[in-house]
Amino acid sequence: MERLRPADPSTIGGHRLLGRLGAGGMGVVYLGRTDGGALAAIKVILPEFAGSEDFRARFRREVEAARRVETPWAVAVTGAETEGERPWLATAFVPGPALSEAVARCGPLPARSVRVLGRLLSRALTAVHAAGLVHRDVKPGNVLLTVDGPRLIDFGIARATDATALTVVGLVVGTPGFLSPEQASGGGTAAGPASDVFSLGCLLAYAATGRPPFGSGAVDALLYRTVHDAPDLEGIEDPELRSLLGALLAKEPGERPTAAELDARIPEDAPNGSIDWLPDEVVALIAARSAAMLDLPGIEPTVAEPGTPQPAARPGRRRLLLAGAGVVIAAGGGFALRERLRDDPGPAAAEPGERAWIIGVQADLSGPRRAAGRSQERGVRLAVKQFNSRAEKPFTLTVKALDDGGDPARAVRAAAQFTRDRDVLAVVGPTGDDTTEAVLTAYDEAMLPVVTVSSLQLSYKAASRKSFFQAAPTDAALCAPVIRRLVLRPDVERLGVLLDRAGGQSAYQVGYLTNMQTSVITTGTTYPRVVPAGTKDLAPVIEDMLRHDSDALFYAGDAAGAARTARALGGTPFKGPRMAMHTAMEPRFIEDAGQAAEGWEFTAPYTDATTPGAEKFAAAHRSEYGSAPAYWAAEAYDAAGLVTAAVTALAGGGPKPVRPTRTALVAKIAASSYKGVSRTYAFDELHRLKGADAFLYGVRGGRFVHLGAAPKGEKA
């Protein structure tokens, strides 16, 4: 997005303009925000075209066409003015790369991804055609990939199937390379719904191969090939996809399936608006682009009454969600790897002359997340000790723990040590996203299973993650219970979302997705604000959020910022529900916020010792360590149990168990369903945890209290 230029207006149709999304020969597209906090893409027609009655007629038709389409897979019109001096059209803003950019950056999509994309876009076209319209410009640049699926955009040349076209006979309407034969031959007036289906076939072929199916180059030659030549589907090996594309790209309109028939023909789907059907690299691009859109001047604290103090100026553009691989290389040297190797005594040791069966623990045991790391190490050791105490155990396990200090460079060296040790069957860890990002390639190359319970990023930069298991709901999944808890109640209509840059990448992801998903999950609205890292006085921001009718408040950031937010909120009459990310759920929040902390709530991916079903685990932990289990201990205990169950299943019975290979263990864990203390563990095809079980906590009487499972359904 570009900054506004001096000649640009500051407001249009009740939208405060934040920047330029793009410009063409006929107008400019701005990013705007309403007083209610909703973001919109606003197309404004240049004055020289606004004076043409023919052009205005076409623009009115575009507005009418877009308003008639009702589907979640096409952007919705939120406002328009067709008769003013500068006509404009506003649509819901959905940040994300175009399909053309995603393929150019990340390469062709796998066959399954193409089929799911085809099914979702067929639903968009079904709605377009049901409204009596033909889009006429279905192409990769008109499909945006967002955090909850694709969106078909730009109805600029759409027309009603029974309308008289405002074009001259013989004019080719659309984009060469993605036209139907009837469009390419100059018969724009004859292009019907089947024409959109052919264009969708071109789009899907492009997604699968990275090139248009009728080539590129001189327009006349391209149009000729579209009408007369067979499509180039070289490189598409999947027979189902080739058959599907062949049907879509039939030269005769009557031989193509309708959009509705295409929807029914494709078996794959994207349940619950997920994007797990896309490759990791594309998901990473979507996440990064979505986070970048939060780096907006108009969402930062720039809206204030005269005389209101302003937070510090925005720093330069920071790294986005998925940066970090380069840090691993640059941070090398200077740190000696401190190994914490404490093999369990007695029965935990292997017999003399036998190879050990080791579960590794890679964790931050001395750095900023040492409390979580040490808690996880205890959980793994307790699980292994309980396994070894069984009278009929088929083999003996040993625990080996390596401390990476939360530093990516040390994490790489720890991973290298584990991968070289042939006795290590699997690793539980690492503790955080940065260290996880750093080691995935090493573990993947060694095909050594690595199971993390506290790295919650939506996606990682590693090209492949065959041996990596994310045994916890991602930050993205944790947004839904926040929204249900705060908005699905009779006294809340608008959720104030405060994203504090001090919270880093997780705060970006959670704040953005909470803002985006509120209108998907509920009928409520949001008022988002972003403050620069280092801002100390949040009172003006809180006052602004309350002035814009925020009935509930969600804070995405760290414990220190949450405490400042609580204190600022405590100085107002606000009595509505308030919640923060689990990353703010630290003792310092209560210490710094004081009485203002009372009543705040948190959703978290970790369970509590008082949770029903955790009694035996909690008692064993107290017996072993003299204290109740801390957060993350149960999850690590479960991860070790998951690994142990998979190893046991592969080892078989009898006096001489068969030691499983790492590759076999990866496959076994991927296919497992394991009931643990905190949840049932099963993984999707990307090795992400199925389900999003979360837990609710609140500050009650000056301490954190477990309130039970976070809401999943329609009631908070």
Side-chain angles (χ1 to χ4, degrees):
M1 185 183 70
E2 298 180 9
R3 293 182 179 275
L4 293 174
R5 300 176 184 177
D8 287 327
S10 59
T11 61
I12 290 177
H15 299 84
R16 179 187 173 198
L17 301 188
L18 309 178
R20 284 174 162 237
L21 293 174
M26 297 182 182
V28 180
V29 182
Y30 297 100
L31 178 63
R33 188 183 68 187
T34 67
D35 288 341
L39 294 175
I42 307 161
K43 178 190 292 188
V44 181
I45 303 304
L46 295 175
E48 53 266 38
F49 293 100
S52 166
E53 187 51 43
D54 283 349
F55 190 91
R56 278 187 182 270
R58 286 194 293 271
F59 187 67
R60 291 188 198 101
R61 187 180 63 192
E62 176 182 359
V63 172
E64 179 188 356
R67 278 180 165 157
R68 288 162 63 179
V69 177
E70 296 183 3
T71 172
W73 309 115
V75 293
V77 173
T78 59
E81 170 57 64
T82 62
E83 307 305 325
E85 182 179 348
R86 298 195 68 181
W88 56 270
L89 168 66
T91 59
F93 176 69
V94 283
L99 175 64
S100 53
E101 180 187 355
V103 172
R105 285 175 173 263
C106 305
L109 303 182
R112 176 178 178 271
S113 298
V114 175
R115 286 195 292 269
V116 175
L117 177 66
R119 186 168 197 185
L120 299 182
L121 292 179
S122 73
R123 293 171 182 171
L125 288 180
T126 298
V128 171
H129 300 160
L133 299 170
V134 184
H135 189 284
R136 299 204 298 171
D137 200 18
V138 177
K139 62 182 180 180
N142 278 343
V143 172
L144 299 181
L145 301 178
T146 78
V147 292
D148 55 357
R151 295 291 187 279
L152 181 64
I153 65 171
D154 199 350
F155 290 80
I157 61 173
R159 71 174 180 90
T161 54
D162 58 354
T164 300
L166 294 173
T167 54
V168 296
V169 176
L171 176 65
V172 175
V173 178
T175 302
F178 298 93
L179 298 172
S180 66
E182 51 269 35
Q183 286 175 294
S185 62
T189 58
S195 178
D196 284 345
V197 171
F198 188 94
S199 296
L200 178 60
C202 294
L203 179 150
L204 297 178
Y206 170 85
T209 64
R211 63 185 185 276
F214 298 101
S216 57
V219 172
D220 288 349
L222 181 54
L223 297 179
Y224 180 89
R225 289 194 295 269
T226 301
V227 175
H228 300 286
D229 291 357
D232 174 14
L233 303 180
E234 185 69 28
I236 301 178
E237 304 297 336
D238 186 272
E240 292 182 12
L241 182 57
R242 286 187 70 95
S243 174
L244 183 70
L245 293 176
L248 298 180
L249 295 173
K251 300 297 185 186
E252 293 298 324
E255 296 178 3
R256 303 168 201 152
T258 65
E261 289 169 347
L262 177 60
D263 181 8
R265 175 171 174 170
I266 300 174
E268 291 92 346
D269 204 350
N272 303 320
S274 72
I275 53 173
D276 287 350
W277 50 275
L278 287 168
D280 283 356
E281 298 91 332
V282 178
V283 172
L285 177 62
I286 294 170
R289 187 62 49 80
S290 299
M293 284 298 102
L294 282 176
D295 198 10
L296 299 172
I299 301 181
E300 293 173 2
T302 58
V303 180
E305 299 299 325
T308 302
Q310 295 295 306
R314 178 174 73 164
R317 187 170 295 275
R318 59 188 288 120
R319 287 187 307 167
L320 301 178
L321 281 179
L322 299 150
V327 176
V328 177
I329 300 172
F335 293 100
L337 179 65
R338 181 158 62 92
E339 179 180 338
R340 289 166 60 98
L341 173 56
R342 298 197 303 271
D343 292 343
D344 292 310
E351 295 295 328
E354 291 185 354
R355 290 181 60 188
W357 296 44
I358 297 175
I359 294 181
V361 177
Q362 179 176 342
D364 178 0
L365 303 174
S366 60
R369 298 196 64 185
R370 57 186 175 275
R374 291 170 180 171
S375 178
Q376 291 176 23
E377 182 190 3
R378 283 186 168 188
V380 173
R381 290 190 180 279
L382 180 58
V384 168
K385 182 172 183 178
Q386 289 182 342
F387 175 83
N388 287 335
S389 67
R390 288 154 51 176
E392 301 298 325
K393 66 180 185 297
F395 48 84
T396 298
L397 285 173
T398 299
V399 176
K400 177 179 181 179
L402 296 179
D403 175 20
D404 61 29
D407 176 72
R410 292 175 62 181
V412 170
R413 294 196 289 275
Q417 185 167 339
F418 273 138
T419 57
R420 288 194 301 265
D421 188 340
R422 294 173 56 247
D423 292 338
V424 176
L425 297 172
V427 174
V428 176
T431 312
D433 289 321
D434 287 345
T435 46
T436 296
E437 181 82 81
V439 301
L440 287 187
T441 298
Y443 282 123
D444 196 62
E445 289 175 350
M447 207 56 179
L448 177 59
V450 55
V451 183
T452 182
V453 298
S454 56
S455 299
L456 309 181
Q457 194 163 283
L458 175 63
S459 186
Y460 295 90
K461 199 171 183 178
S464 177
R465 39 185 274 171
K466 295 189 294 289
S467 68
F468 173 60
F469 294 89
Q470 201 167 11
T474 65
D475 280 328
L478 291 173
C479 295
V482 169
I483 296 166
R484 292 190 177 103
R485 179 69 176 177
L486 290 177
V487 184
L488 289 179
R489 54 177 79 206
D491 57 339
V492 173
E493 167 57 32
R494 175 166 296 167
L495 173 63
V497 179
L498 180 58
L499 194 163
D500 191 340
R501 291 181 178 174
Q505 296 173 356
S506 277
Y508 258 76
Q509 182 167 289
V510 172
Y512 169 76
L513 291 173
T514 299
N515 181 50
M516 283 287 292
Q517 292 295 313
T518 295
S519 62
V520 176
I521 296 175
T522 77
T523 58
T525 59
T526 59
Y527 183 71
R529 293 296 302 271
V530 179
V531 295
T535 301
K536 301 300 182 184
D537 184 11
L538 293 179
V541 182
I542 295 299
E543 291 170 4
D544 177 65
M545 298 181 81
L546 299 184
R547 190 163 55 245
H548 283 82
D549 301 323
S550 296
D551 305 310
L553 190 139
F554 175 67
Y555 171 85
D558 61 8
R564 287 193 291 272
T565 302
R567 291 198 304 270
L569 201 60
T572 73
F574 182 80
K575 300 299 181 185
R578 70 291 307 266
M579 182 175 281
M581 287 176 61
H582 69 89
T583 51
M585 196 176 136
E586 298 180 0
R588 71 171 298 179
F589 169 72
I590 295 178
E591 296 166 5
D592 293 351
Q595 185 58 34
E598 197 67 22
W600 275 75
E601 293 183 349
F602 308 80
T603 55
Y606 44 73
T607 191
D608 186 81
T610 62
T611 301
E615 299 88 351
K616 291 184 178 180
F617 162 72
H621 193 283
R622 288 190 184 93
S623 175
E624 180 69 15
Y625 299 111
S627 63
Y631 302 136
W632 299 116
E635 288 68 33
Y637 175 88
D638 287 345
L642 167 70
V643 170
T644 302
V647 173
T648 302
L650 292 172
K656 198 68 174 177
V658 178
R659 185 186 185 88
T661 66
R662 291 173 173 179
T663 300
L665 189 53
V666 165
K668 186 63 180 177
I669 294 173
S672 295
S673 178
Y674 177 80
K675 185 172 177 56
V677 171
S678 60
R679 57 176 55 87
T680 295
Y681 293 82
F683 301 95
D684 63 18
E685 62 181 13
L686 294 178
H687 294 178
R688 294 196 186 104
L689 182 70
K690 291 182 180 178
D693 292 336
F695 304 93
L696 188 65
Y697 294 83
V699 179
R700 305 289 187 268
R703 64 189 184 91
F704 295 115
V705 176
H706 180 249
L707 303 178
K712 291 183 179 181
E714 296 299 318
K715 295 183 180 180

